[in-house]
Amino acid sequence: MTDLASHSPSASIEKGGIEAIIEETPSEDGGPIYAAGSNLPPPPVLSVEEEKRLWRKIDMRILPIFTVMYFVASLVRSNIGNAKLQGLSTQLELTGNKYNIALAMYFVSYTCLTVPSNLVIKKLRPSRWLPGIALLWGILATLMGLVKSYPQLVGVRVLLGIAEAGLPPGVFYYITMWYPRHMVSFRIGLFWGGATFAGAFSGLLAFGISFMSGTAGLLGWSWIFIIEGLISVAVAVVAFFVLVDFPDTASFLTPEERSYVVNVLKYDNSSVGEEEHFEFRHLWETLCSWRVLFCCLINMSVITPVYGITFFLPSIINGFGFNTVISQLLSIPPYVVATITVVAWSKWSDNIKKRSPFICAGLVLCLVGFAINVSDVSIGAKYFGTYLVVTGSYAGFPGNVSWMGNNTVGHYRRAVAIGMQVMFANAGGAIACLVYRGEDAPRYVLGRCPILDGVELGFVTMGLTLLPIMVTTYLRANIRRDATQRDMDERGVKVEYTPEELRKMSDKAPDFRYTI
């Protein structure tokens, strides 16, 4: 039996010098309740192979549909970059900074709704909420292909941001409710890999759809929106029949399997489980946590380059002197490399149970890539720089989201923290949309000094500055708690807490250790 499976409710749980006195509450039939609101049998003892089979079973039910959903969401979000090269700017007369404003307005509405969405997902059920918003954004994306003016484009982009706001934070939170914290990064990496690959597929799909220009009197950009929107609608319909809620009610698992997963998750972060009910203090404490804020800013430093490169890579490559078709095709290889890196780094991160080294590596790749692209170097060197930026920005993200989930204890605290993280990330997206102005092409440099004044480089530098502070803080807290526990063990001292006291302490509980 694995260590995760060895925990079970008992009269007392002891960890070093910390002891929690627990009174079991029997169910109506006299047995213990292993999940809130449902009677489950005692968790079984599984061999290593049996446990692997169980997690694979869960993976195959959850991850494919989420990956496809985020894949099509990313297509819908980023296809405007491809549509721009297929006549969008010309037909809608997107002169000056109109294109940038249309991009930014999507993020304004998106940013406002990430936290509220995560607060209601448990109440409204993820199996209904997530497919529902996917259906809505698919319809809106289809309608975007029929807009005839700039105001209509902006209006639909605002509504699209409202519809899509709940998916990324909802899925990130959902994954933390299904997997132990050191299995989370790889699963988020697979999910995020769908978004990364969408960047490659978007260029290839746009290339194919461009040949439909003129069909039914619509230009190629309209067909890009319509076809990719209809694909989203189809995926949303499938999701209604595939998605499940949480482990304690998952019908595709046996009662024993549900009990095992619930038990593993309950004792993953704490010796007494986590707070599962909502109180306003959870919202307030999370909003006021400087650790959460720093982690959000680090995520912003990673995601701002993601959005900058996603929306403008075809235009950047076009600015190197290539025609539209070649620009679409040359935007594909960087995303293929990034997708492979995302999955490999995420798996490696879970294996060594560390997040910060991969965030740092991603930021360093972005730093070098942007430095190359704002420099006066050859086109070949600039194209290589786009590989570094795409790979670094996309591959650094899963570790950052996993880091927040790993170090935030309590269901609603985690929901709020992840929602805030996505909110900050999309604020960075709005900034990226306004940084890449048409008059700055092809180098997209603000100011006379590209290194000092490049806004993207500034965000990457912010991340590289804050990251060591977070690592040092977590290391010192772990070392201090280890030292206190050793001292209590040596002196034979035991400190007793009630389970409620330990749960309220969340990540400050003496038996909790931060993931570095």
Side-chain angles (χ1 to χ4, degrees), residues 80-345:
I80 192 170
N82 301 107
K84 182 184 179 186
L85 296 182
Q86 296 296 334
L88 173 70
S89 296
T90 302
Q91 186 170 6
L92 299 188
E93 299 180 353
L94 302 183
T95 57
N97 62 354
K98 286 183 178 179
Y99 174 74
N100 301 73
I101 292 174
L103 293 181
M105 292 307 296
Y106 164 89
F107 290 103
V108 172
S109 57
Y110 191 120
T111 299
C112 295
L113 294 175
T114 54
V115 173
S117 175
N118 260 20
L119 286 175
V120 303
I121 189 171
K122 284 186 72 175
K123 184 71 173 178
L124 299 180
R125 298 177 55 194
S127 64
R128 295 293 175 264
W129 175 251
L130 296 176
I133 61 177
L135 181 62
L136 179 59
W137 89 58
I139 294 171
L140 290 168
T142 304
L143 294 176
M144 195 155 59
L146 303 177
V147 299
K148 301 300 181 183
S149 66
Y150 169 65
Q152 290 177 2
L153 176 65
V154 172
V156 176
R157 292 289 295 180
V158 170
L159 294 176
L160 189 65
I162 293 173
E164 283 194 22
L167 181 69
V171 173
F172 298 145
Y173 171 66
Y174 181 90
I175 289 176
T176 67
M177 298 293 288
W178 269 93
Y179 295 95
R181 58 183 184 152
H182 292 128
M183 294 175 65
V184 164
S185 183
F186 180 56
R187 274 73 187 181
I188 289 179
L190 292 174
F191 168 76
W192 184 244
T196 312
F197 185 68
F201 191 73
S202 179
L204 185 61
L205 188 59
F207 171 72
I209 295 175
S210 66
F211 292 102
M212 293 183 64
S213 184
T215 303
L218 299 175
L219 294 182
W221 69 265
S222 292
W223 284 112
I224 289 175
F225 291 139
I226 291 170
I227 291 176
E228 295 181 3
L230 291 175
I231 292 173
S232 298
V233 170
V235 170
V237 172
V238 173
F240 274 111
F241 295 96
V242 175
L243 278 182
V244 295
D245 292 319
F246 297 110
D248 58 321
T249 59
S251 58
F252 74 98
L253 299 177
T254 67
E256 290 75 18
E257 289 172 335
R258 294 201 296 269
S259 178
Y260 180 85
V261 175
V262 168
N263 193 60
V264 165
L265 294 172
K266 180 173 183 180
Y267 299 105
D268 181 44
N269 275 336
S270 169
S271 59
V272 295
E274 301 179 278
E275 288 188 304
E276 300 181 11
H277 63 284
F278 175 74
E279 295 180 14
F280 278 104
R281 64 181 175 86
H282 298 154
L283 177 62
W284 179 249
E285 290 170 0
T286 307
L287 291 174
C288 294
S289 169
W290 71 267
R291 288 190 178 95
V292 171
L293 177 61
F294 271 37
C295 204
C296 289
L297 290 173
I298 293 171
N299 195 49
M300 191 178 189
S301 72
V302 172
I303 291 297
T304 303
V306 166
Y307 284 124
I309 207 71
T310 296
F311 290 127
F312 293 93
L313 183 59
S315 297
I316 292 172
I317 295 175
N318 185 246
F320 293 164
F322 299 104
N323 62 36
T324 299
V325 173
I326 298 300
S327 298
Q328 300 278 26
L329 294 177
L330 285 178
S331 68
I332 297 172
Y335 287 105
V336 174
V337 173
T339 302
I340 296 170
T341 307
V342 164
V343 176
W345 282 15

Side-chain angles (χ1 to χ4, degrees), residues 315-320 369-378 382 435-451 454-457:
S315 297
I316 292 172
I317 295 175
N318 185 246
F320 293 164
F370 277 123
I372 292 173
N373 273 309
V374 298
S375 302
D376 189 13
V377 295
S378 68
K382 286 179 178 293
V435 167
Y436 287 85
R437 305 177 304 173
E439 58 264 35
D440 295 320
R443 290 174 64 193
Y444 293 100
V445 176
L446 288 174
R448 295 182 179 178
C449 180
I451 299 299
V455 176
E456 295 276 23
L457 281 169

Side-chain angles (χ1 to χ4, degrees), residues 7 12-22 181-182 265-275 406-407 409-410 474 477-486 488-489 495-515:
H7 297 294
S12 68
I13 294 179
E14 184 179 335
K15 187 171 183 179
I18 312 300
E19 184 174 6
I21 306 302
I22 299 177
R181 58 183 184 152
H182 292 128
L265 294 172
K266 180 173 183 180
Y267 299 105
D268 181 44
N269 275 336
S270 169
S271 59
V272 295
E274 301 179 278
E275 288 188 304
N406 289 170
N407 292 331
V409 182
Y474 287 148
N478 287 349
I479 292 170
R480 185 167 57 249
R481 291 173 190 178
D482 287 341
T484 300
Q485 183 174 306
R486 283 195 303 270
M488 293 170 64
D489 289 343
V495 179
E496 293 183 357
Y497 295 96
T498 66
E500 184 64 23
E501 288 173 333
L502 285 175
R503 283 192 284 265
K504 282 188 176 181
M505 291 180 189
S506 64
D507 62 300
K508 297 179 178 63
D511 61 342
F512 180 79
R513 298 296 181 270
Y514 292 105
T515 299

Side-chain angles (χ1 to χ4, degrees), residues 334 337-339 341-342 345 362 365-366 386-396:
V337 173
T339 302
T341 307
V342 164
W345 282 15
L365 287 180
C366 287
T386 64
Y387 274 82
L388 298 181
V389 173
V390 173
T391 301
S393 56
Y394 275 95

